[in-house]
Amino acid sequence: GAGVSQSPSNKVTEKGKDVELRCDPISGHTALYWYRQSLGQGLEFLIYFQGNSAPDKSGLPSDRFSAERTGGSVSTLTIQRTQQEDSAVYLCASSQEETQYFGPGTRLLVL
Amino acid sequence: GIQVEQSPPDLILQEGANSTLRCNFSDSVNNLQWFHQNPWGQLINLFYIPSGTKQNGRLSATTVATERYSLLYISSSQTTDSGVYFCAVVTNAGNNRKLIWGLGTSLAVNP
């Protein structure tokens, strides 16, 4: 079946602009995760949605970052007033049980 | 918080060689996963292995939870095995499913 998809695949923006990143999880997966990966680094947890429970936002680096998950499916990660240090690959994953399945990521470059 | 350390950080192999990658973690875990990130950035789950041994083709993994380490074995390596191998864990604390990631082992397999 279809895997996790993310859009856009690449995004170049100017410092100070807002960006929205989208994640379509695997159908039926109740858990959805957002991660950030800087060049040559491991993954940094951002936020986790599980069913109808309140999301775990403990990894969001600042109040410029927010995420929503509508109808238990699609999720949008919003970064307001982007800064150059926000440049990274933003990865989304979904799971039904323990194994997480990753999308291809969105490469964000803030000029 | 829990620390996840992977070794070696970098590894270069000749095609056909075998290798062992190690993941040490500082606290008890109820979830450990190994991932491969290919040179194009796609993350693929290799094993969900909080304890015991699993094998999948040329890859196998063993986790000794009581001693807080996991090993990933790659036999008869191929150039397509190149990429970064990540270990990620979820602690036993609380009811979270947030993966904590190591920094990875970067593997290059030469023809």
Side-chain angles (χ1 to χ4, degrees), chain A residues 4 6 23-25 32-35 90-94 101-103 105:
Chain A
V4 178
Q6 292 185 244
C23 172
D24 284 83
L32 187 148
Y33 310 78
W34 282 99
Y35 297 91
Y90 289 82
L91 290 156
C92 173
S94 70
Y101 298 88
F102 281 80

Side-chain angles (χ1 to χ4, degrees), chain B residues 1-7 21-32 34 49-52 62-71 87 89-93:
Chain B
I2 190 170
Q3 303 296 313
V4 181
E5 296 180 352
Q6 293 188 241
S7 60
L21 282 56
R22 187 177 179 101
C23 172
N24 292 334
F25 41 95
S26 61
D27 204 347
S28 57
V29 301
N30 57 20
N31 181 341
L32 186 147
W34 282 97
I49 185 163
S51 64
T62 295
T63 297
V64 183
T66 53
E67 297 186 20
R68 300 183 181 171
Y69 72 89
S70 183
L71 302 174
C87 167
V89 304
V90 176
T91 69
N92 288 333

Side-chain angles (χ1 to χ4, degrees), chain A residues 30-31 33 35 37 40-43 45 48 50 56 58 91 95-100 102-104 107, chain B residues 30-31 33 35 37 40-45 47-48 86 90 95-104:
Chain A
T30 56
Y33 310 78
Y35 297 91
Q37 186 176 30
Q41 300 297 311
L43 273 71
F45 167 81
Y48 157 51
Q50 174 61 53
D56 178 350
S58 59
L91 290 156
S95 70
Q96 181 56 30
E97 295 183 353
E98 303 301 335
T99 300
Q100 295 189 17
F102 281 80
R107 285 156 182 76
Chain B
N30 57 20
N31 181 341
Q33 299 182 35
F35 293 86
Q37 188 169 39
W40 297 271
Q42 180 65 54
L43 270 161
I44 302 295
N45 185 284
F47 294 103
Y48 164 66
F86 289 103
V90 176
N95 187 30
N96 80 89
R97 293 167 71 179
K98 180 174 65 181
L99 283 171
I100 307 300
W101 295 70
L103 294 180

Side-chain angles (χ1 to χ4, degrees), chain B residues 45-89:
Chain B
N45 185 284
L46 298 176
F47 294 103
Y48 164 66
I49 185 163
S51 64
T53 297
K54 290 186 178 179
Q55 180 157 6
N56 184 2
R58 296 181 297 102
L59 302 182
S60 64
T62 295
T63 297
V64 183
T66 53
E67 297 186 20
R68 300 183 181 171
Y69 72 89
S70 183
L71 302 174
L72 178 69
Y73 305 96
I74 305 174
S75 63
S76 305
S77 57
Q78 300 177 358
T79 56
T80 52
D81 295 333
S82 298
V84 183
Y85 289 81
F86 289 103
C87 167
V89 304

